[in-house]
Amino acid sequence: MRRTPREARVLLSDTSPYGSRVLDVEFDQVATAAYLRTSDGETVAASWVANHQEAPYHADLARLNAGLVPALPSGRTKHPKGRPPLDPRTLKVVWFEEGDGVALMEAGQPLCVIPGWSDMDRGIPGYAREAIGRSPFAFALDDEIDELGPRILQAEAFWSWRRGQGAWEAFQQSLLGHLLSRLGPGGYYWHDIGRQPARTDNGSQPPVPAPRPPEPAPRPATPAATTPPRREPTVGVSERPARGDRSYNVLSTVGMSCQRMPTVELYEDNVGEHARIELAVATTLPSVQAGRVFPWLAQYPWQAVTSFAPGDNVKWYHEARTFPLGPTWEGVLLLDNPNRLEGPAAPDLTAFSFGGDRVQWLWIVPITEEERQYGKQEGSDALIERLARKGRSWVVGE
C-alpha cells in the first residue's frame, strides 16, 4: 500500500459512485500527481499532472525512491520552468460510467485522465495535459484527446441524467415492461437488493429485502438537499411466476444494465455489444431462497472492477452449505444461451437496449467447485459440453 508522504498534501480526494476506486491528487510544492486507488488504499494507476518548479534534466530518482510525487523531466513538460500550483476550487472529478476510469478537470477543461487501461504494474500511466510525448509518469493528453474528450463528455452526461429526478424510475419501468412482454405478469419485486451486504459477519446467507408488488410506479424524488449519498448501481429483482406454458419461475435483475460494466474495453473491440447485462435464474425453488443469489452478484462487476461475460464462472465466497441455490453447489456458470443444456426451451429476452447498447441476459447455473476448476482449465465450452452430457438442466431445482 502506498502512503502519502508527510511532505505531500492531498489537494483533492474523491470516491467513485460505486465505492471501489478513489482518486487522490497530491502536491508537495515541487509537483502534483494523481493516484487511482482501491478503497483499501492500494494504488492501481497514476499520472503526473504538473511541475511547479524548474524541471530536472533527467528523472529525479532520489524523489522516486523516497516515494515522493514525481517531477517530469524538462523535455517532457510544456512548462519546464514550472506552472503555478493547482487551486482546488477549480478542480472537478468526472468518473467514467464504468467506474474504472476518471478525469481530473481544471476550470472545466481536462487536466489529467486515468482511463481503465492505465495500470501501474504494467507501466502504463495516465494522460496529462501538461505532458509531452510519453514517459513512465504520464502520456500526453493531447495525443488522445480525440478519444478521451468525448468519453469525458459522455460520462458527464450520464451522471447528470442518472442523478436527475425520475431517471431510475424511467429505466426501471422500461425494463419491467420488456420483461412483461417476454415473461408475462410479475410476482414479487425486490427493491435495491444491491444495498444488502455481500457477506454477513457470521457467514450466513445474505438477506433479501422484503418483497413488494411488481411493476412499481415511479416514486417522487427526495429533494436534493436531503438526499443522502447513494452507492451505485441500484439493482432490483423481478419475479415472473410459473404459468401455463412455463413450469418454473424466472427471477431477473433490474438495473445492472443501467450502467456499462468496467474493463470490457480491455477485452472487446465492440464494447457496446458486451458492456450491459442483466442476470436471470430459472428455478423451481422458492423465489425468496433463489433470490438470495443476487445480492452477491448484482454489484459484483462494479465492486470488483471487472465484468461478466458468457461462460464466466464465479466462486461462492463462503461455505457451500450457505449457498442460496443449494449446498451441493459452490459457484455459478453464466450462460447467454441456456439451451445448450437440458431443459425446456429458454425464453428469448433479447431486443432490449439502453444507451445505444444492446442488453444481454446471462442465466445463472449453479456448479460444483470441481466443475468450476474444470471450466477454468479447459474453457467454458468444454464445461458446458460436459454438463450437457451429464444431463444437467439450466432450470435450477430440476
Side-chain angles (χ1 to χ4, degrees):
M1 180 187 300
R2 182 192 183 282
R3 299 185 182 275
T4 301
R6 283 180 294 178
E7 295 84 352
R9 178 164 66 95
V10 177
L11 292 180
L12 179 151
S13 183
D14 195 84
T15 301
S16 79
Y18 308 118
S20 53
R21 290 288 184 264
V22 178
L23 181 70
D24 290 327
V25 180
E26 299 176 7
F27 161 73
D28 71 350
Q29 307 297 325
V30 175
T32 296
Y35 299 92
L36 186 63
R37 292 174 171 143
T38 67
S39 57
D40 294 330
E42 181 179 353
T43 301
V44 176
S47 177
W48 169 90
V49 175
N51 287 353
H52 307 296
Q53 296 182 10
E54 186 167 354
Y57 187 72
H58 296 293
D60 190 334
L61 296 181
R63 284 181 60 82
L64 294 175
N65 293 334
L68 299 174
V69 175
L72 213 60
S74 57
R76 295 297 182 185
T77 173
K78 293 179 180 179
H79 298 92
K81 297 297 183 181
R83 58 150 285 175
L86 306 182
D87 181 351
R89 294 172 297 181
T90 69
L91 301 180
K92 174 186 174 183
V93 175
V94 177
W95 291 95
F96 287 3
E97 176 181 347
E98 299 87 345
D100 58 354
V102 64
L104 178 66
M105 314 290 283
E106 182 184 38
Q109 298 300 313
L111 180 63
C112 166
V113 181
I114 304 179
W117 60 82
S118 293
D119 188 325
M120 178 168 285
D121 291 340
R122 294 190 295 151
I124 304 176
Y127 297 79
R129 186 179 68 199
E130 306 291 329
I132 296 174
R134 295 193 167 202
S135 77
F137 312 115
F139 293 166
L141 180 58
D142 289 350
D143 294 343
E144 298 293 334
I145 194 63
D146 288 345
E147 177 180 352
L148 293 174
R151 288 286 299 274
I152 296 170
L153 294 176
Q154 291 167 7
E156 289 181 314
F158 172 79
W159 291 115
S160 176
W161 169 84
R162 186 66 182 84
R163 292 165 180 150
Q165 182 172 343
W168 160 249
E169 288 80 4
F171 169 86
Q172 179 190 54
Q173 291 299 312
S174 178
L175 183 47
L176 288 173
H178 173 74
L179 294 175
L180 175 64
S181 69
R182 297 306 175 100
L183 296 170
Y188 287 130
Y189 183 89
W190 290 267
H191 288 273
D192 240 358
I193 54 97
R195 298 294 179 268
Q196 300 304 310
R199 184 171 181 172
T200 55
D201 292 338
N202 62 6
S204 61
Q205 293 182 3
V208 174
R212 301 184 185 181
E215 317 300 337
R219 291 171 289 177
T222 305
T226 60
T227 300
R230 294 177 63 84
R231 177 67 54 80
E232 299 295 345
T234 299
V235 183
V237 172
S238 173
E239 178 201 38
R240 304 288 148 163
R243 61 183 190 181
D245 62 344
R246 189 175 66 232
S247 61
Y248 53 86
N249 300 333
V250 175
L251 303 178
S252 171
T253 57
V254 176
M256 292 183 71
S257 63
C258 194
Q259 49 281 304
R260 285 181 163 187
M261 292 183 293
T263 73
V264 174
E265 62 190 338
L266 299 180
Y267 310 106
E268 303 290 348
D269 293 330
N270 190 347
V271 175
E273 288 292 307
H274 306 276
R276 298 188 192 273
I277 67 160
E278 298 286 350
L279 298 178
V281 62
T283 183
T284 57
L285 299 174
S287 292
V288 171
Q289 174 187 341
R292 291 192 177 99
V293 76
F294 291 111
W296 165 50
L297 292 172
Q299 288 191 333
Y300 193 110
W302 297 273
Q303 290 181 346
V305 192
T306 187
S307 57
F308 285 155
D312 281 353
N313 62 64
V314 189
K315 180 179 174 60
W316 177 241
Y317 63 82
H318 197 50
E319 299 173 359
R321 63 180 177 84
T322 68
F323 189 58
L325 302 180
T328 303
W329 317 113
E330 298 178 71
V332 298
L333 173 67
L334 304 178
L335 294 180
D336 60 335
N337 180 14
N339 291 317
R340 296 180 66 182
L341 298 182
E342 292 296 316
D348 180 8
L349 298 183
T350 60
F352 182 77
S353 62
F354 181 72
D357 304 327
R358 74 181 184 98
V359 175
Q360 186 175 45
W361 263 262
L362 299 181
W363 294 84
I364 295 170
V365 175
I367 55 176
T368 66
E369 177 60 14
E370 187 276 331
E371 290 167 344
R372 194 183 71 84
Q373 292 295 338
Y374 180 84
K376 287 181 62 177
Q377 295 169 8
E378 303 297 329
S380 60
D381 285 339
L383 174 57
I384 295 168
E385 291 171 3
R386 180 182 176 187
L387 297 179
R389 288 195 300 270
K390 290 182 176 181
R392 182 73 59 80
S393 174
W394 64 277
V395 179
V396 179
E398 285 196 344

